[in-house]
Amino acid sequence: MGEIRRHGKEAAKKRDCNRWKPRGCAESREKSNLRSTRYIWKTIILGQVLSMFICGTAVTIYTTMLAFRTGSGSLWQILKQKWWKYIFLGLADVEANYVMVKAYQYTTLTSVQLLDCFGIPVLMALSWFILRARYRLIHFLAVAICLLGVGTMVGADILSGREDGEGSDVVIGDVLVLLGASLYAISNVCEEYIVKNLSRVEFLGMVGLFGTIISGLQLAIVEHRELMRIQWNWKVALLFTAFALCMFGLYSFMPVVIKVTSATSVNLGILTSDLYSLFFGLFLFLYKFSALYIVSFVVIIVGFIMYCSTPTRTAEPTALPQPSSTGLDNAALKLEESDSETPAVTVQFTRGETVVVSTD
């Protein structure tokens, strides 16, 4: 009943604004937009702090493990040989999170959920050229089914009223989502290559090291003033700690799964994460339930099983023909071989005038 009364009051307020359009309604809309902007900026800032916490945790554990290694896999040797590669990877990982959260300031939840799937075809294309992964028809069908499930989920959000109006600049927001999805794809392809050819500890240690540096510098330069305005208390600290632990588990466990399967398979599997968030929201935030959520979950799972049912193959690198060099030694060897193959000649003289030549 309280929910019905609340919606009734909101509807009445909208009718009054549309009928009379007083100055108070305009001020109310301005205050609402201001609160929304502050909330978005607060989310971005907190996201950067969490990114630092996650990277800092990786630095504490995995970078320390690298520091105690010796030989070619030590921290010093990796920094000397591959430092610029891990700077690029850390930048891609940090900025992917940043621009994805930033996109919520400009576009809608529906656009973010739909365009975020752009990272899957980008990931498959990068895997094709960089990792030489070769897909079959069933893999493309499975990806299409998973994306259909995401579309069903978005439709359920719209029908249940979870869409929070229009963004301030949809074009900028959509471009940011596409950029973030592409950066995620780059990060995942690099992660798959490293964990399958090098080691999981090296990936987590180096990304944690450079990710902490990049995220810390970006936070200090861009958002240091907003960071000082955060009202810290034990609840906020507890939420930070819980979220950081969850993300640390995600970053630690994902390389294990990628090494067993592939980055594309992992990204298809985590498409259901929004649905799990929704199921928790049904009890925590009293979201409206729709049967389409169950349908979308089943469709995504079916597509994921189809993709995993047939393993992808890896194309072998093309062997270059070796140039043939015939030197004096090879020529002498060939002459010896031809001499050994020459049949022996025997000459026999008889008492008469006849000479008989025979070969054995």
Side-chain angles (χ1 to χ4, degrees):
M1 294 296 293
E3 186 72 16
I4 297 175
R5 287 195 296 270
R6 185 175 64 84
H7 285 292
K9 291 180 180 179
E10 292 178 356
K13 185 177 180 180
K14 290 181 179 179
R15 286 195 300 268
D16 292 340
C17 288
N18 292 333
R19 182 180 302 174
W20 303 106
K21 295 186 178 183
R23 181 179 179 182
C25 291
E27 294 177 352
S28 177
R29 285 194 296 270
E30 292 178 358
K31 291 180 180 179
S32 177
N33 292 334
L34 181 60
R35 285 195 300 267
S36 177
T37 303
R38 288 178 178 175
Y39 173 78
I40 292 169
W41 276 107
K42 185 177 180 180
T43 304
I44 295 173
I45 296 166
L46 295 180
Q48 287 295 294
V49 176
L50 288 175
S51 181
M52 287 190 62
F53 283 173
I54 296 165
C55 295
T57 308
V59 169
T60 305
I61 298 177
Y62 295 107
T63 308
T64 305
M65 294 173 64
L66 286 178
F68 284 99
R69 283 186 174 182
T70 58
S72 60
S74 65
L75 178 62
W76 175 245
Q77 292 297 327
I78 295 173
L79 288 175
K80 286 200 305 183
Q81 299 173 5
K82 312 170 189 175
W83 61 271
W84 64 272
K85 297 179 182 179
Y86 283 109
I87 287 179
F88 172 76
L89 180 56
L91 183 65
D93 190 75
V94 171
E95 297 307 323
N97 290 279
Y98 180 80
V99 299
M100 192 64 71
V101 176
K102 181 73 172 178
Y104 284 96
Q105 181 180 356
Y106 300 102
T107 189
T108 61
L109 176 65
T110 301
S111 296
V112 173
Q113 289 176 321
L114 286 176
L115 295 177
D116 187 30
C117 299
F118 176 74
I120 294 178
V122 174
L123 179 58
M124 295 179 71
L126 293 175
S127 299
W128 180 285
F129 292 105
I130 298 176
L131 304 177
R132 295 195 296 273
R134 296 297 179 262
Y135 303 99
R136 303 178 187 273
L137 179 60
I138 189 173
H139 295 125
F140 295 104
L141 293 176
V143 170
I145 292 174
C146 289
L147 297 182
L148 178 62
V150 174
T152 307
M153 177 183 64
V154 173
D157 285 342
I158 296 175
L159 293 177
S160 62
R162 287 187 63 201
E163 181 61 45
D164 298 328
E166 297 182 357
S168 59
D169 197 326
V170 177
V171 175
I172 294 178
D174 292 348
V175 171
L176 289 176
V177 176
L178 295 176
L179 177 60
S182 301
L183 291 175
Y184 273 130
I186 294 173
S187 176
N188 290 153
V189 167
C190 296
E191 180 177 357
E192 181 176 353
Y193 178 83
I194 294 171
V195 299
K196 287 186 176 181
N197 296 278
L198 300 174
S199 72
R200 181 178 68 97
V201 175
E202 178 175 335
F203 168 77
L204 292 173
M206 300 308 295
V207 170
L209 174 63
F210 288 107
T212 301
I213 297 173
I214 294 171
S215 182
L217 290 175
Q218 184 169 328
L219 180 66
I221 295 173
V222 179
E223 299 159 353
H224 61 281
R225 294 181 180 177
E226 288 78 7
L227 182 62
M228 300 302 296
R229 299 173 185 172
I230 298 178
Q231 300 295 326
W232 293 94
N233 53 54
W234 68 270
K235 293 181 180 180
V236 174
L238 183 62
L239 290 174
F240 268 125
T241 304
F243 189 85
L245 290 176
C246 290
M247 293 301 294
F248 176 73
L250 171 66
Y251 270 72
S252 300
F253 188 61
M254 182 178 285
V256 178
V257 183
I258 288 179
K259 187 173 183 179
V260 176
T261 58
S262 66
T264 304
S265 177
V266 170
N267 278 266
L268 291 175
I270 63 177
L271 287 177
T272 57
S273 60
D274 289 335
L275 290 169
Y276 288 122
S277 301
L278 168 71
F279 294 150
F280 280 104
L282 293 174
F283 301 97
L284 297 177
F285 307 110
L286 301 179
Y287 289 158
K288 291 182 180 180
F289 177 77
S290 174
L292 288 177
Y293 290 125
I294 303 298
V295 175
S296 63
F297 181 81
V298 173
V299 171
I300 293 174
I301 292 298
V302 169
F304 180 62
I305 293 175
M306 285 180 58
Y307 186 91
C308 297
S309 63
T310 304
T312 59
R313 64 184 182 88
T314 303
E316 295 296 333
T318 304
L320 296 177
Q322 298 295 330
S324 59
S325 57
T326 304
L328 296 177
D329 295 337
N330 292 334
L333 181 60
K334 289 184 177 181
L335 289 176
E336 291 177 359
E337 292 177 352
S338 62
D339 291 341
S340 63
E341 295 175 355
T342 304
V345 179
T346 304
V347 180
Q348 297 179 352
F349 296 94
T350 61
R351 189 180 290 254
E353 296 179 354
T354 306
V355 178
V356 180
V357 178
S358 64
T359 59
D360 295 333

